[in-house]
Amino acid sequence: MFPIYLYEDNAEQRDNYCKTVNNTIMINEFAMELRVATDDQKIILADLNQQQDGLFFLDMEIGEDKQTGLELASRIRATIPLAKIVFITTHDELSFVTLERRIAPLDYILKDQSADLITQRIIKDINVVQNELKKTNSQRKDVFNYKLGTRYFSLALDDVILLSTSKLRPGSVQLHAINKVAEFPGNLNALEEKYPQFFRCDKSSLVNLNHLRSFDYKEKELLLDGEIRCKASFRKSRELNKLLRDSFLILFRASVSVI
């Protein structure tokens, strides 16, 4: 799910913005979620390392600090370069500061407008981001992306052989690809949702079946390119066995055999 964040200290306004965001997501069935709505920037910052993108609606002024939203935006931009940032504020004079800090906000919504106009702007911004996501997904559907620290990496989806959870580092995923091995923060459930073309062998492994060399049904073991082996659960073994037979994968890849 694409994450949306809301930073606002006025409880009534925050509730109204939340309703607008959630209703827009629900009505349009967007693959988005309102992940955090808070007046505490620490909660937002703590979640950033788990994300590669996001839409952030930020109030400029929290309490007596007129620039706390700007400071948060700068940290978001440094951590997630592709983040979409929208300011909702009464301080139109600070719009020039966003240029100086190279924050490049998607929108700048002034609170002195009517509630209906603010709602329309929020809905419009969500739709703009959704359209961008559609274009990006169509352009990058054959690319596997992951983040390590503050750096982003990409490789051809076809080059991915196996994704598995790290036994030594909980919360990390091991990537085995053609000419590449890496480990990065993540979880298989999110990767399975993002890359449905991979096959979930068990709770700890996602496999690209284009790299399957053989499958030992009795031992419930897959042999992949690069002499990589992984186990399948009892239920997934039956599912894989049926998949291989029904799809005639054996006929298309002579190197694959079911024992």
Side-chain angles (χ1 to χ4, degrees):
M1 292 289 189
F2 184 87
I4 297 178
Y5 297 82
L6 178 58
Y7 184 52
E8 170 63 61
D9 64 339
N10 184 299
E12 183 178 354
Q13 291 177 353
R14 186 169 63 242
D15 288 343
N16 290 334
Y17 300 158
C18 286
K19 290 177 182 177
T20 299
V21 171
N22 285 323
N23 286 340
T24 304
I25 293 172
M26 180 182 65
I27 292 171
N28 295 281
E29 297 183 345
F30 291 155
M32 297 177 170
E33 64 173 344
L34 180 57
R35 190 170 177 91
V36 174
T38 182
D39 60 355
D40 186 351
Q41 64 171 282
K42 292 179 181 178
I43 296 176
I44 294 177
L45 291 171
D47 197 65
L48 292 188
N49 289 331
Q50 303 179 40
Q51 307 300 332
Q52 295 184 11
D53 209 339
L55 171 58
F56 297 80
F57 291 99
L58 308 179
D59 187 6
M60 286 274 199
E61 181 178 0
I62 300 294
E64 298 299 320
D65 190 341
K66 292 184 179 181
Q67 296 197 23
T68 185
L70 276 171
E71 294 168 359
L72 176 58
S74 296
R75 297 183 68 174
I76 291 170
R77 180 65 72 215
T79 305
I80 307 177
L82 299 177
K84 285 75 176 174
I85 297 173
V86 175
F87 289 111
I88 307 180
T89 180
T90 57
H91 297 284
D92 57 343
E93 76 277 5
L94 293 177
S95 60
F96 295 103
V97 182
T98 66
L99 297 176
E100 293 175 356
R101 299 195 182 189
R102 301 182 184 275
I103 294 173
L106 171 68
D107 199 1
Y108 201 96
I109 303 173
L110 293 177
K111 288 185 177 182
D112 58 7
Q113 303 176 89
S114 68
D116 286 342
L117 286 177
I118 293 175
T119 296
Q120 291 175 22
R121 291 282 290 275
I122 292 174
I123 294 172
K124 181 180 178 180
D125 290 335
I126 293 174
N127 278 284
V128 166
V129 172
Q130 172 65 17
N131 290 332
E132 288 183 2
L133 289 174
K134 284 183 178 179
K135 294 178 182 178
T136 301
N137 289 338
S138 65
Q139 294 170 353
R140 298 184 178 182
K141 62 183 180 181
D142 296 326
V143 176
F144 180 82
N145 302 293
Y146 64 96
K147 180 182 178 183
L148 188 57
T150 59
R151 300 179 62 189
Y152 291 86
F153 299 86
S154 299
L155 68 153
L157 199 61
D158 287 341
D159 287 352
V160 176
I161 300 173
L162 170 69
L163 295 165
S164 60
T165 54
S166 174
K167 296 179 180 179
L168 299 178
R169 297 183 181 179
S172 294
V173 173
Q174 290 181 336
L175 163 70
H176 292 268
I178 297 176
N179 300 321
K180 188 179 186 69
V181 176
E183 187 172 306
F184 58 92
N187 68 80
L188 289 187
N189 289 335
L191 291 171
E192 182 181 19
E193 180 179 345
K194 186 175 182 180
Y195 303 100
Q197 54 270 71
F198 293 152
F199 181 79
R200 188 72 176 260
C201 290
D202 59 14
K203 64 180 181 180
S204 62
S205 300
L206 275 174
V207 169
N208 184 348
L209 292 180
N210 290 328
H211 291 284
L212 179 64
R213 292 174 55 186
S214 68
F215 173 48
D216 188 330
Y217 181 67
K218 182 179 180 180
E219 298 296 330
K220 299 176 179 54
E221 184 176 75
L222 292 79
L223 176 61
L224 308 170
D225 290 338
E227 301 300 320
I228 299 171
R229 298 176 183 272
C230 69
K231 290 287 188 177
S233 67
F234 177 79
R235 182 174 65 85
K236 287 296 185 175
S237 291
R238 296 180 62 182
E239 183 179 332
L240 178 57
N241 193 40
K242 185 177 185 301
L243 177 64
L244 293 177
R245 295 185 187 282
D246 292 350
S247 65
F248 298 102
L249 185 60
I250 301 172
L251 297 178
F252 290 106
R253 287 182 59 86
S255 62
V256 176
S257 62
V258 179
I259 302 174

